[in-house]
Amino acid sequence: KGHPPHPSPFPVFLWECWVSGSKRVHKRCGGAKVWWRGRKRERAGKPRKHKGGSGPRHRVSSHFGGARVGWAMSARAAWRAVTRTWTGRTAVAAVCLHQYDTHWRYERFNRNIRTVAAAVATLVDYKYTLVQHPEMLDELHQRVAKRWYDLCCRNAGLYIKLGQQIATMNHVLPAPYMFYFSKLNDAAPAVGYDVVNSIVCKDYGVPSVDAVFADFDREPLASASIAQVHKASLPDGTPVAVKVQKPEIAVQLPWDLACFRLLLFSFEKIFDLPMYWSCDSVCDVLCQETDFRCEARNAQIAAEDFSDNPKVYVPRVYTDMTTKRVMAMEFIDARSIADLAGLRSEGFSVGEVAGIMVDAFSHQIFVSGFVHADPHPGNILVRRSPDGGGKDTQIVLLDHGCYVSCSEAFRREYCRLWRAMVLTDETELLRICRAWGVGDSELFASMQLLKPYTPGKGGVHLNATTRADVLKLQLEAFERVRGLLCDSQRVPRELILIGRNLNIVRANNKGMGSPVNRVNNMAKYASLG
């Protein structure tokens, strides 16, 4: 085949298409065929041989007609090369799929390709590079943490929620993960007002937002991984907070969950870790979290649960204005528990706030059995109680989409577990762990307490957690996790989201300076349950 006589900006593929098309053209155009052969002889260092037609008709045909038809035939040859070979067909299909997925389907396919690529790179780093170069451990932690942080930022949506969960696991993950993923609490992008307006109009069946609300702020108050919140007012002037689900969530969710299942299954087989058993429960909760009608029901149950506790408040939800993607609730003007400087400036005691928070979630775990599984700082506000004359401290719980409803049998057994851990009752602890299919009772107790559990050293609730305790827990988790579960089918699924609650509450308490002995407070409620 021919090659370009000089460096060409066109790819070799297009040049070969031009050559194949030109050959057919010149064969039909008289002297053009002679011209083509002459060019080949010149490249071989041989003189031209003038054969065939040499009159004006042939020269004109060669220089003008052949050029026009040559371009047409080249385009035709390129099209045939694309459509008549599997390589070409695959390339065209991939380009079309990429463009369709990017511009019309919110990158539901592309984002999972990026996730699988990041997972494969992580596998290579920890499974092979680390074995050959153990001295590169810190560098690998830094590289992998940066890779997954960038992935969460680019994919957004549920990946932001995943990154926020990773940020709360500073008791078991290396420092680079904390450095990067702690930035994700404010990284969720917001959608424009036109998109919000279209969703509200479609779900409420009205021509515009003004038909429902007297006033509606175009800029969101906050933007989370699944939804964003706008301040509005009802026709009677009542201020409300309107939660609107982002449009891409419904499209991306099935694909994200399928990728999540694939990764858990692969990591379990490759690293020999018990991971996939929790997959179904996590996926079910995420699906419920995207339905605001479930969140409205959860908020009503939680409000009834705390109705006799003036220190905890759940905002009212307007059920008649709640759909699958839009929810209106009572607007609360308060500060986040993460705003320590603001709380102190208004006279709040950080220790008192932390104590109310720990007590509230301990009550849910050990007494009511209906547990908020996403109590991160953005979902907990602090204000003065309106019923206490503006003096009593009150926390406000938001975002009730992620809840776990514990069975009565599990709630009672979990209370017994905590009493056994706190009193170091080894016989009772082993009995419960065997009934739940847990093979390593000491590691399991450490994971529940979120601090090292060592039997025979007295009450674990009396000791504060030190840096050495954290390092010890990390080493135990990495070395003994393979033997943690002996029968994953018997493990109560409630432990998954209760563990999430415990971890986030621990992280909140630590972020406030650890003013509360969390284990001690929880042990009191375990004795009540």
Side-chain angles (χ1 to χ4, degrees):
K1 299 239 176 171
H3 297 280
H6 54 80
S8 171
F10 299 101
V12 175
F13 170 72
L14 295 180
W15 172 256
E16 291 180 350
C17 292
W18 164 257
V19 171
S20 61
S22 299
K23 286 183 177 180
R24 286 192 292 271
V25 171
H26 295 316
K27 288 180 180 179
R28 298 180 183 180
C29 298
K33 184 175 180 181
V34 178
W35 174 85
W36 171 252
R37 289 180 176 175
R39 290 290 296 166
K40 290 180 66 175
R41 292 183 65 82
E42 283 184 352
R43 289 177 186 168
K46 300 177 182 179
R48 280 178 173 267
K49 291 184 178 181
H50 297 285
K51 296 182 180 180
S54 59
R57 175 176 175 274
H58 293 289
R59 286 195 296 270
V60 172
S61 175
S62 173
H63 287 87
F64 295 96
R68 288 197 302 270
V69 181
W71 280 109
M73 294 299 294
S74 297
R76 184 178 178 185
W79 176 251
R80 286 179 176 177
V82 168
T83 58
R84 294 188 180 184
T85 63
W86 283 108
T87 303
R89 292 170 185 171
T90 303
V92 170
V95 171
C96 293
L97 176 62
H98 176 271
Q99 293 300 310
Y100 171 75
D101 187 62
T102 300
H103 297 289
W104 285 282
R105 305 308 294 173
Y106 302 105
E107 292 192 304
R108 62 178 184 178
F109 181 74
N110 295 334
R111 58 201 274 116
N112 290 328
I113 293 297
R114 291 194 289 265
T115 303
V116 172
V120 171
T122 302
L123 170 64
V124 172
D125 282 340
Y126 282 140
K127 194 73 173 178
Y128 299 102
T129 306
L130 183 60
V131 173
Q132 298 176 0
H133 304 282
E135 72 280 0
M136 294 179 58
L137 179 60
D138 293 338
E139 180 182 344
L140 289 178
H141 286 329
Q142 181 80 13
R143 186 164 70 195
V144 173
K146 179 65 164 59
R147 178 188 302 134
W148 284 96
Y149 168 75
D150 292 340
L151 178 73
C152 290
C153 291
R154 185 172 182 183
N155 283 357
L158 293 178
Y159 286 81
I160 297 292
K161 182 177 288 292
L162 169 65
Q164 291 171 347
Q165 174 64 17
I166 293 175
T168 65
M169 301 178 67
N170 52 10
H171 60 296
V172 292
L173 291 179
Y177 288 86
M178 302 304 103
F179 173 77
Y180 284 108
F181 287 97
S182 61
K183 305 176 184 179
L184 288 176
N185 290 326
D186 302 316
V191 298
Y193 174 75
D194 293 339
V195 177
V196 172
N197 181 59
S198 64
I199 293 175
V200 173
C201 292
K202 184 175 181 180
D203 280 37
Y204 283 169
V206 294
S208 69
V209 172
D210 298 335
V212 183
F213 302 102
D215 185 37
F216 193 96
D217 287 356
R218 290 176 172 265
E219 294 297 325
L221 292 173
S223 178
S225 56
I226 292 178
Q228 60 190 53
V229 179
H230 292 256
K231 184 179 180 181
S233 58
L234 299 178
D236 62 359
T238 303
V240 294
V242 182
K243 186 175 181 180
V244 183
Q245 186 178 125
K246 297 177 180 178
E248 66 270 18
I249 297 300
V251 179
Q252 295 172 348
L253 182 63
W255 290 74
D256 288 349
L257 294 183
C259 185
F260 173 70
R261 290 177 180 274
L262 174 63
L263 291 181
L264 278 189
F265 179 80
S266 301
F267 283 179
E268 180 177 276
K269 299 301 181 183
I270 294 171
F271 293 102
D272 192 23
L273 298 175
M275 302 175 67
Y276 193 76
W277 67 275
S278 64
C279 186
D280 289 339
S281 299
V282 174
C283 292
D284 291 343
V285 169
L286 288 175
C287 290
Q288 293 178 11
E289 196 170 358
T290 59
D291 189 343
F292 292 166
R293 295 169 296 187
C294 293
E295 180 175 350
R297 289 193 294 269
N298 293 340
Q300 291 176 329
I301 297 174
E304 294 175 1
D305 186 23
F306 290 114
S307 59
D308 58 347
N309 186 353
K311 296 183 178 181
V312 183
Y313 183 75
V314 177
R316 173 194 172 191
V317 175
Y318 294 85
T319 55
D320 56 333
M321 300 180 66
T322 298
T323 66
K324 185 175 182 179
R325 298 188 298 170
V326 182
M327 182 176 69
M329 71 193 83
E330 178 184 358
F331 178 78
I332 302 294
D333 187 11
R335 291 186 179 273
S336 168
I337 62 168
D339 185 7
L340 301 183
L343 293 177
R344 292 191 177 100
S345 66
E346 294 185 6
F348 289 102
S349 169
V350 175
E352 181 184 7
V353 172
I356 296 174
M357 174 194 67
V358 173
D359 289 346
F361 294 117
S362 298
H363 169 83
Q364 286 190 327
I365 293 173
F366 298 109
V367 179
S368 69
F370 192 66
V371 185
H372 195 312
D374 194 20
H376 64 77
N379 291 336
I380 307 175
L381 306 181
V382 183
R383 68 172 184 176
R384 295 296 181 184
S385 174
D387 299 330
K391 296 181 180 179
D392 297 336
T393 302
Q394 184 182 71
I395 66 171
V396 181
L397 302 183
L398 307 177
D399 194 359
H400 301 271
C402 187
Y403 263 74
V404 55
S405 181
C406 303
S407 66
E408 183 64 15
F410 171 81
R411 185 189 66 80
R412 291 182 179 276
E413 197 75 345
Y414 197 67
C415 290
R416 296 189 188 100
L417 172 71
W418 267 77
R419 288 196 293 266
M421 292 188 300
V422 172
L423 299 176
T424 62
D425 185 347
E426 285 299 295
T427 303
E428 183 70 359
L429 177 61
L430 286 174
R431 182 193 66 80
I432 296 174
C433 288
R434 288 170 183 170
W436 285 355
V438 177
D440 191 337
S441 60
E442 290 186 17
L443 178 59
F444 180 72
S446 298
M447 294 176 66
Q448 299 305 307
L449 295 168
L450 298 177
K451 61 188 303 181
Y453 172 80
T454 304
K457 288 192 175 182
V460 297
H461 60 293
L462 299 177
N463 304 319
T465 303
T466 64
R467 179 61 182 169
D469 292 335
V470 174
L471 293 176
K472 181 180 178 182
L473 183 58
Q474 290 178 351
L475 292 175
E476 287 182 348
F478 289 133
E479 294 175 358
R480 299 166 58 181
V481 69
R482 288 184 176 87
L484 177 62
L485 303 181
C486 59
D487 187 358
S488 60
Q489 297 299 321
R490 289 188 288 163
V491 178
R493 286 349 186 218
E494 293 94 335
L495 288 173
I496 301 170
L497 294 182
I498 285 184
R500 175 182 169 88
N501 173 283
L502 294 175
N503 189 38
I504 297 177
V505 171
R506 180 207 57 80
N508 292 346
N509 185 44
K510 182 179 179 181
M512 301 173 75
S514 300
V516 176
N517 189 321
R518 178 183 54 85
V519 175
N520 193 16
N521 285 28
M522 296 185 70
K524 294 178 183 178
Y525 280 88
S527 64
L528 296 176

